[in-house]
Amino acid sequence: MKRLILAAAALASLAGTAVHAQEIVRGGAPTSPIASVVTVPAGYDTIYVSGMTPPPLDPKGDPALPATFGDTKTQTMGVLTRIQEALKSQGATMGDVVMMRVLLVGDPAKGGKMDFPGMMEAYKTFFGTAEQPNKPSRITSQVSSLVAGGMLVEIEVQAARKPK
């Protein structure tokens, strides 16, 4: 009986090692800025980052005006920087992001249409770069408004990393 217990413990230990040896798999066209599919193997820690909004460029500015927060590119840079800091507080990086939801408000300066190219300019500085080649799966939607009238961007992410 003692041998069976030891054998079972050894197998469980090996199984745990095998699970942790697996890597996150990202699929899709190499030229695409996003992954069309991401598979996270069992045993990874999952980190959920709530929707982040942009920091004001002018803390005394009117939060109802986009000028207080900047254009879509500027706001996206601010939001992704805040997400990067939140992930860092959990021992993770932007390379661990596996899913992203982007909410964009129509920019009054763009005729009320979302500034997808502006968002993408900022996005591409954090994902799919030589320094950080990983890309998450993602959805981008236009919404009518966010918590403050001048905010054009809100992003939430899920990240997965190997346990320490």
Side-chain angles (χ1 to χ4, degrees), residues 75 82 110:
Q75 290 193 28
R82 290 184 74 204
K110 306 264 182 200

Side-chain angles (χ1 to χ4, degrees), residues 90-105:
Q90 300 301 305
T93 70
M94 294 299 257
D96 296 316
V97 174
V98 295
M99 180 62 193
M100 175 182 286
R101 285 172 197 82
V102 180
L103 304 176
L104 298 177
V105 173

Side-chain angles (χ1 to χ4, degrees), residues 3-83:
R3 285 185 186 171
L4 284 176
I5 292 171
L6 288 175
L11 284 174
S13 175
L14 287 174
T17 302
V19 167
H20 294 328
Q22 293 177 350
E23 296 294 327
I24 293 173
V25 179
R26 298 166 196 263
T31 56
S32 177
I34 62 172
S36 59
V37 63
V38 178
T39 303
V40 179
Y44 273 64
D45 291 335
T46 304
I47 302 165
Y48 299 92
V49 180
S50 292
M52 296 278 185
T53 55
L57 298 175
D58 177 6
K60 295 180 182 176
D62 182 350
L65 302 175
T68 300
F69 302 96
D71 62 10
T72 299
K73 178 183 177 184
T74 302
Q75 290 193 28
T76 303
M77 289 294 292
V79 169
L80 291 175
T81 299
R82 290 184 74 204
I83 290 170

Side-chain angles (χ1 to χ4, degrees), residues 100-129:
M100 175 182 286
R101 285 172 197 82
V102 180
L103 304 176
L104 298 177
V105 173
D107 186 342
K110 306 264 182 200
K113 298 201 183 292
M114 69 177 178
D115 182 10
F116 186 78
M119 183 277 295
M120 284 302 295
E121 277 187 67
Y123 170 88
K124 288 180 179 180
T125 66
F126 288 85
F127 299 97
T129 67

